[in-house]
Amino acid sequence: QNGGFMGSAFDPWQLTRDPNAADFKLDELSPLPGLSVDRVSARRDLLADVDRQRQDLESTAAVHDMSQRMGEAFSLLIQGGKFREAFDLDRESPAMRDQYGRHAFGQSLLLARRLVEAGIPVVQANMGHMNRWDTHAFNFVQLKDRLLPPLDQGLSTLIADLDERGLLDETLVVVSGEFGRTPLINDRNGGR
């Protein structure tokens, strides 16, 4: 779930907190106490001065990558009001949150819709940790009871919500998985 061979410039910003948690917030988007926009701007100016004085370092890919990421971070802190607001799921009605489902995947899809509205061009919502769909045993029970209900609820709500907001025509929704299935069912434990 990173940029792989394309390089770290294509790594996503991964959220590890559950958007369905009652105390969901992202510390990364909240400035530290006493850190105003003016102080962040002054720090950015100081960093730019240091970068100009060390032009020889700027030629290395690692330093250039770090400078680019710091610039993006400063931009989010200073101008990212709409972006930060997207993470405030309490701005949504309880009914809308219920429609998506009060589970991590449903609230992640709601967050994805809010990020699309805020102008973020690419958003990925994962349904749990890696290997969640690896149903080597009890495939049908796991699909029926654990996997398909939140997928169906969240995904169908996302598509309907994007359509109602006029965003579906300009939003590509891709659903994929990495776990292939054989046509044969394992008789011993109902897996595939």
Side-chain angles (χ1 to χ4, degrees), residues 36 59 103-104 114-115 140 158 166:
S36 66
S59 64
H103 42 76
R114 291 178 59 85
L115 289 167
F140 301 107
L158 173 67

Short mmCIF file of all heavy atoms in Angstrom, two decimals, residues 36 59 103-104 114-115 140 158 166:
data_model
loop_
_atom_site.label_atom_id
_atom_site.label_comp_id
_atom_site.label_asym_id
_atom_site.label_seq_id
_atom_site.Cartn_x
_atom_site.Cartn_y
_atom_site.Cartn_z
N SER A 36 1.11 29.11 15.89
CA SER A 36 0.17 29.84 15.04
C SER A 36 0.58 29.72 13.58
O SER A 36 1.67 29.27 13.25
CB SER A 36 0.16 31.32 15.44
OG SER A 36 1.42 31.90 15.15
N SER A 59 20.65 18.84 -4.47
CA SER A 59 20.77 18.01 -5.67
C SER A 59 20.54 16.54 -5.38
O SER A 59 20.26 15.77 -6.29
CB SER A 59 22.14 18.21 -6.32
OG SER A 59 23.15 17.75 -5.44
N HIS A 103 -19.26 1.28 11.34
CA HIS A 103 -18.10 0.41 11.40
C HIS A 103 -16.97 1.11 10.66
O HIS A 103 -17.20 2.10 9.95
CB HIS A 103 -18.39 -0.98 10.80
CG HIS A 103 -19.21 -0.94 9.54
ND1 HIS A 103 -18.68 -0.58 8.31
CD2 HIS A 103 -20.52 -1.20 9.32
CE1 HIS A 103 -19.63 -0.64 7.40
NE2 HIS A 103 -20.76 -1.01 7.98
N ALA A 104 -15.76 0.63 10.86
CA ALA A 104 -14.58 1.32 10.31
C ALA A 104 -14.67 1.50 8.80
O ALA A 104 -14.35 2.57 8.27
CB ALA A 104 -13.30 0.56 10.68
N ARG A 114 -16.12 12.76 1.74
CA ARG A 114 -15.84 14.11 2.21
C ARG A 114 -14.52 14.63 1.62
O ARG A 114 -14.40 15.80 1.30
CB ARG A 114 -15.81 14.15 3.74
CG ARG A 114 -17.20 13.92 4.36
CD ARG A 114 -17.17 13.90 5.87
NE ARG A 114 -16.66 15.14 6.43
CZ ARG A 114 -17.38 16.25 6.67
NH1 ARG A 114 -18.67 16.26 6.36
NH2 ARG A 114 -16.82 17.31 7.20
N LEU A 115 -13.53 13.75 1.48
CA LEU A 115 -12.25 14.15 0.89
C LEU A 115 -12.41 14.46 -0.60
O LEU A 115 -11.80 15.40 -1.11
CB LEU A 115 -11.20 13.07 1.11
CG LEU A 115 -10.71 12.95 2.56
CD1 LEU A 115 -9.91 11.68 2.76
CD2 LEU A 115 -9.89 14.17 2.95
N PHE A 140 -18.14 -19.35 3.19
CA PHE A 140 -19.50 -18.86 3.03
C PHE A 140 -20.02 -18.18 4.29
O PHE A 140 -20.71 -17.17 4.22
CB PHE A 140 -20.42 -20.01 2.57
CG PHE A 140 -19.97 -20.60 1.27
CD1 PHE A 140 -19.38 -21.85 1.23
CD2 PHE A 140 -20.08 -19.89 0.08
CE1 PHE A 140 -18.93 -22.39 0.04
CE2 PHE A 140 -19.64 -20.42 -1.12
CZ PHE A 140 -19.06 -21.67 -1.13
N LEU A 158 -22.11 4.84 -0.54
CA LEU A 158 -21.15 5.75 -1.18
C LEU A 158 -21.60 6.09 -2.59
O LEU A 158 -21.63 7.27 -2.98
CB LEU A 158 -19.76 5.12 -1.21
CG LEU A 158 -18.71 5.90 -2.01
CD1 LEU A 158 -18.39 7.22 -1.34
CD2 LEU A 158 -17.46 5.07 -2.21
N GLY A 166 -24.02 14.89 -7.15
CA GLY A 166 -23.53 15.24 -8.47
C GLY A 166 -22.05 14.95 -8.66
O GLY A 166 -21.42 15.53 -9.55
#
